[in-house]
Amino acid sequence: MALPRNRRPLRGAQDEPGPSTAGEPEAAADGARRSPETAGDQAPKSGSVRVQERDPAPAPARSRRGLPWYLSIPITLAAILAVFLAAARFDLLPGLPNPFAERQVDRSQPVLLKSIQDMSRYTGATGNFQVIIDLDNDAKFLPSQLLGNRTLYVAAGTVGAYTDLGKLGADAVTVSADRTSVQLRLPHAQLAETALDVKRSYVYSQQRGLFDRIGDFFSGNPGNLQQLEVLATEKIQTAAKDTVLTATAETNTRTMFVGLLRSLGFTTVDVTVV
């Protein structure tokens, strides 16, 4: 039997696309876009094409900008200067001068002679004294940590004993008619004022309260050194009166005049202290 011309032959089952093969490329591409874990779980079967996307390349790190030149140059110069100053301070470079070295400049005024005093003293003996001043100034109702000071001052000074020859009267010297004997009457020896030796006097220790430290900062005489010197002078002068300094001076003065008068030709010399 012949087929009609206008009728097309039916497609066989082998010509129709299978339901599984039609969507395989789209499923593979969709699985590639997912995360690696998900893509691994839903991987297509053999024969499908897997599309993998590469991770984007990391952006290059931005280079750090340094300090501007108007800041880096002064900092570099300051560092170099600090190194040289440290080397000069600790004598690391012997040829480099020390900028921290101190120098003393004496700008004192010329010494002015105000007066001349005629002296007719003969110093027969001199005593050397030393005293330790322990001066404690404290407040009555405040602790010493706030107000009060204690100073140990070692003072050294000398006291001379002299005979004032200017007090000799006309009857102080008696000479015999044959000029072989002489009699001399001298006044008693006296003590001179204490001369404090500043080279051998010094402050040994000093404890000051808070308010005293603030006051000494604005004071022209820190630690009240003048008061210590005056007190030391008075104590030395008082101590010299209890010594044999004046008796020693009288003995030495009498011995000196005896030798002087005998050198002038007197055979009998009588020197007394009245």
Side-chain angles (χ1 to χ4, degrees):
M1 183 174 180
L3 294 176
R5 296 179 178 179
N6 58 350
R7 181 174 293 181
R8 297 178 179 178
L10 296 176
R11 296 179 179 179
Q14 64 276 8
D15 297 335
E16 295 180 0
S20 60
T21 59
E24 286 182 358
E26 291 81 4
D30 183 60
R33 295 190 185 96
R34 298 178 182 178
S35 60
E37 294 82 359
T38 308
D41 297 337
Q42 299 180 0
K45 296 180 180 179
S46 61
S48 64
V49 179
R50 178 179 296 180
V51 180
Q52 296 182 356
E53 293 184 357
R54 296 181 178 179
D55 296 336
R62 295 182 179 179
S63 60
R64 298 181 180 178
R65 296 184 58 186
L67 293 175
W69 64 270
Y70 52 84
L71 291 179
S72 60
I73 293 179
I75 293 177
T76 304
L77 294 178
I80 295 175
L81 180 60
V83 171
F84 274 98
L85 291 179
R89 176 65 179 85
F90 297 102
D91 295 333
L92 299 180
L93 299 177
L96 189 66
N98 186 5
F100 300 98
E102 296 181 357
R103 64 189 185 98
Q104 186 178 18
V105 180
D106 188 2
R107 295 189 176 90
S108 304
Q109 300 296 323
V111 179
L112 179 62
L113 177 60
K114 301 186 66 174
S115 63
I116 296 178
Q117 183 178 0
D118 295 333
M119 303 297 294
S120 57
R121 298 178 178 179
Y122 176 77
T123 302
T126 302
N128 297 317
F129 297 87
Q130 185 179 28
V131 60
I132 299 177
I133 304 298
D134 188 356
L135 187 61
D136 190 2
N137 297 323
D138 56 352
K140 188 174 182 181
F141 300 104
L142 290 177
S144 59
Q145 289 79 6
L146 294 179
L147 183 62
N149 60 80
R150 182 180 180 182
T151 306
L152 292 178
Y153 180 69
V154 180
T158 59
V159 178
Y162 67 93
T163 300
D164 191 358
L165 301 179
K167 294 182 179 180
L168 295 178
D171 56 347
V173 180
T174 304
V175 181
S176 61
D178 56 357
R179 302 185 64 85
T180 57
S181 62
V182 59
Q183 184 179 4
L184 177 62
R185 289 174 293 274
L186 298 175
H188 288 280
Q190 303 177 17
L191 292 177
E193 296 180 357
T194 302
L196 196 65
D197 191 350
V198 295
K199 293 183 178 180
R200 296 189 294 128
S201 303
Y202 57 93
V203 176
Y204 181 77
S205 66
Q206 190 173 33
Q207 300 175 358
R208 295 175 294 173
L210 177 61
F211 296 150
D212 292 88
R213 292 178 182 272
I214 297 176
D216 292 342
F217 179 77
F218 297 99
S219 176
N221 187 18
N224 199 3
L225 185 59
Q226 182 179 5
Q227 180 183 4
L228 296 172
E229 293 177 349
V230 172
L231 184 59
T233 302
E234 294 176 353
K235 289 185 175 297
I236 292 176
Q237 190 72 29
T238 303
K241 296 178 181 179
D242 299 332
T243 62
V244 294
L245 192 58
T246 53
T248 303
E250 292 175 357
T251 302
N252 295 336
T253 302
R254 185 167 53 249
T255 302
M256 185 273 299
F257 274 105
V258 169
L260 176 62
L261 294 175
R262 286 182 176 177
S263 64
L264 295 177
F266 295 97
T267 57
T268 304
V269 178
D270 183 15
V271 179
T272 59
V273 178
V274 296

